[in-house]
Amino acid sequence: MNFKILIDAPREKVWNILWEDATYRQWTSAFSEGSYAVTDWKEGSKVLFLGGEDGSGMVSMIAANRLHEYMSIKHLGVVKEGVEDTESEEVKKWGGIYENYTLIDLNGKTELIIDMDGIEEYLDFFQEAWPKALAKVKELAESV
């Protein structure tokens, strides 16, 4: 899957909107209300993408982090009721799936490109959610 949007803001601002906690929570609500991430966003670090009342979500790692340019996240499994699962048959389909964020400077504007491996059963969900999420990133980055 590939999604992109042109944002009238510099890469540094878009980057901060993507990864700072307060704004991350806002744009990722397009996927699940109450979403948040537990990580330091450093290359090689673990990430828990969580939401909801039961602490469910995804367990992942930062595969690459080039400041203001590129973030690659490798999904490893799921978190259910606070317990990480990277071994069951159910989550093996998530193992090795990448979600990549590329920010390209276009004379002070930023083209944000999302590349994500897809799992057939979630394609419709992501086809609907990503445009909403990117519209929110654009709104946040273009506001004063």
Side-chain angles (χ1 to χ4, degrees):
M1 291 181 283
N2 181 285
F3 304 92
K4 60 180 151 182
I5 193 166
L6 184 63
I7 301 171
D8 190 8
R11 280 190 317 185
E12 295 79 8
K13 185 171 186 183
V14 175
W15 181 269
N16 292 338
I17 295 297
L18 288 170
W19 311 121
E20 288 180 359
D21 183 59
T23 49
Y24 177 87
R25 290 173 185 254
Q26 291 178 56
W27 72 265
T28 58
S29 67
F31 300 100
S32 177
E33 198 62 45
S35 292
Y36 65 99
V38 179
T39 188
D40 60 11
W41 300 111
K42 293 180 181 173
E43 196 166 303
S45 291
K46 180 166 117 176
V47 186
L48 295 176
F49 295 106
L50 304 172
E53 295 178 14
D54 64 355
S56 294
M58 301 281 302
V59 58
S60 308
M61 70 164 286
I62 303 300
N65 180 338
R66 293 193 303 272
L67 186 64
H68 305 139
E69 291 179 19
Y70 181 75
M71 180 83 76
S72 178
I73 300 166
K74 181 179 182 181
H75 296 297
L76 305 172
V78 299
V79 179
K80 284 190 178 178
E81 298 178 2
V83 178
E84 296 176 26
D85 176 5
T86 58
E87 301 295 322
S88 72
E89 287 303 314
E90 178 187 344
V91 302
K92 289 197 178 187
K93 60 188 170 188
W94 284 100
I97 286 184
Y98 285 86
E99 185 175 323
N100 301 313
Y101 298 74
T102 304
L103 288 78
I104 299 171
D105 178 32
L106 298 174
N107 298 317
K109 295 183 181 184
T110 302
E111 182 175 40
L112 174 58
I113 303 167
I114 310 297
D115 293 301
M116 184 177 175
D117 298 333
I119 297 176
E120 191 67 34
E121 65 188 273
Y122 295 102
L123 289 179
D124 289 343
F125 170 76
F126 285 119
Q127 293 287 349
E128 185 176 319
W130 268 115
K132 291 177 185 174
L134 292 179
K136 188 63 176 178
V137 171
K138 180 179 176 76
E139 175 190 324
L140 290 166
E142 291 180 353
S143 65
V144 177

